[in-house]
Amino acid sequence: MHLSRLICSAFLLVVLPAAYSPAGAGAAIGVAMDDFSYTDTSAEPANQTAAHERRLSAFMAALRRDIGADGRYRLAPSAQDGAAFKVIGGIQKTSTLVQWAKVAVIDVGAKRLVMDKLYTFRGDNDESWERAEIFVSREVMAALSTPAPVALAVFDFELEDTTAASAGASAASDASYLAEVTGSVREALGQSGRYRIVDISGEAVKTRTLRDCGGCEAAIAQKLGADQSLIGVVRRVSRTEYTLGFQVRDARTGAVLARGDSGLRMGADYSWKRGAVRLVSDRLIESQAKP
């Protein structure tokens, strides 16, 4: 659809400032907003270009006024001028009484869409455009107030084996199960919407045991541009029993923000993944969601 292509193209053209940083506590958050595009595919005989330009201009003025009137936000000329969010959109008239509005809000720092919606509104007069603007304004404000996801570096889970029995084929099997644990935990955290998973593939950490490095993972995470770090450990008690633990640190200060431990001996290695996802969901995702 025409409007979908418009949003996608505009999103790709957003250029980040060289030194972007979120607005500080108490500071108004910068919001940049381009004029929406307008396309008339209704094939009506009358030329309504002038009326549509006037109504679109009034629509954009009202939308900017609504956002600027909220003390939490300030209008910024562009993403390069300190805007934390960018609002883009387009309106398409498809018939005499039906119009579509495609609106997106981009989190500039996270390079992520926090809103991408398609609306329909009936009518093509001043009153119908005003109603549409009021509704779109509420939707945009709701999207702007949604907390940005935390940039989280999830390092590969490590195995602490007290049985001293991992060798040969067993070691290869352990590595496979650990990879499943790490991948599944990253997926669960990313899908929660509370976290943006930072790529750690370029960081050489496999030669180190992060669980015994005194919090060095926080500094590594900060170098990668993450807000927080997470390390996890699978502790094998016997060939058929294990426990799980994880720890989250603030990447800047190294302070421990959260930790979890299964505290119970659970089943064999093939259930590591299930146990790890359950632990992280219960002790991190769900607990952070509680007021």
Side-chain angles (χ1 to χ4, degrees):
M1 185 178 180
H2 171 80
L3 291 177
S4 298
R5 291 197 301 270
L6 179 146
I7 296 295
C8 180
S9 300
F11 178 67
L12 294 174
L13 288 172
V14 172
V15 180
L16 302 184
Y20 168 81
S21 61
I29 299 172
V31 179
M33 187 185 307
D34 291 343
D35 286 339
F36 289 7
S37 65
Y38 189 82
T39 306
D40 187 350
T41 57
S42 65
E44 292 179 297
N47 186 336
Q48 303 178 71
T49 301
H52 290 153
E53 289 179 348
R54 175 178 60 79
R55 288 171 182 148
L56 180 61
S57 178
F59 180 98
M60 296 308 304
L63 189 57
R64 290 188 172 101
R65 182 179 64 248
D66 289 346
I67 293 175
D70 190 312
R72 296 173 296 174
Y73 310 108
R74 63 176 178 81
L75 293 176
S78 69
Q80 289 74 37
D81 297 298
F85 294 95
K86 185 177 180 67
V87 180
I88 56 178
I91 299 174
Q92 180 176 358
K93 183 174 182 177
T94 58
S95 68
T96 301
L97 293 177
V98 178
Q99 303 197 72
W100 294 88
K102 179 75 169 177
V103 185
V105 178
I106 303 168
D107 183 324
V108 177
K111 294 180 283 188
R112 184 182 74 98
L113 283 169
V114 297
M115 179 182 123
D116 183 14
K117 294 185 178 182
L118 182 64
Y119 307 98
T120 181
F121 64 98
R122 296 184 62 81
D124 186 11
N125 54 36
D126 291 350
E127 183 181 358
S128 63
W129 276 75
E130 288 172 6
R131 289 197 307 267
E133 186 281 326
I134 292 171
F135 185 83
V136 169
S137 174
R138 290 173 181 168
E139 293 280 287
V140 170
M141 297 287 277
L144 291 174
S145 64
T146 302
V150 175
L152 180 65
V154 180
F155 294 102
D156 294 344
F157 271 63
E158 299 173 353
L159 177 63
E160 184 178 327
D161 191 350
T162 61
T163 68
S166 294
S170 179
S173 177
D174 289 343
S176 176
Y177 285 127
L178 285 171
E180 287 185 1
V181 169
T182 304
S184 297
V185 167
R186 286 173 179 155
E187 182 179 7
L189 289 166
Q191 289 181 348
S192 73
R194 301 185 63 84
Y195 298 96
R196 174 173 60 88
I197 306 304
V198 174
D199 182 15
I200 67 164
S201 59
E203 184 63 33
V205 298
K206 295 185 181 297
T207 58
R208 287 189 268 180
T209 304
L210 295 182
R211 66 181 185 273
D212 295 326
C213 75
C216 70
E217 74 274 8
I220 297 172
Q222 185 179 35
K223 284 169 50 181
L224 294 169
D227 302 315
Q228 298 175 10
S229 65
L230 183 149
I231 59 172
V233 181
V234 177
R235 305 182 191 91
R236 176 180 281 134
V237 181
S238 71
R239 296 306 302 178
T240 58
E241 296 179 308
Y242 73 96
T243 63
L244 282 162
F246 74 86
Q247 185 167 266
V248 176
R249 290 182 183 271
D250 184 291
R252 184 176 60 86
T253 66
V256 176
L257 302 176
R259 56 164 55 97
D261 201 294
S262 63
L264 297 173
R265 296 184 178 188
M266 294 178 275
D269 47 13
Y270 55 78
S271 60
W272 291 357
K273 177 177 72 174
R274 184 174 65 250
V277 171
R278 178 63 179 272
L279 179 66
V280 169
S281 297
D282 289 348
R283 304 291 180 84
L284 187 59
I285 298 174
E286 295 300 328
S287 65
Q288 294 292 330
K290 294 177 182 177

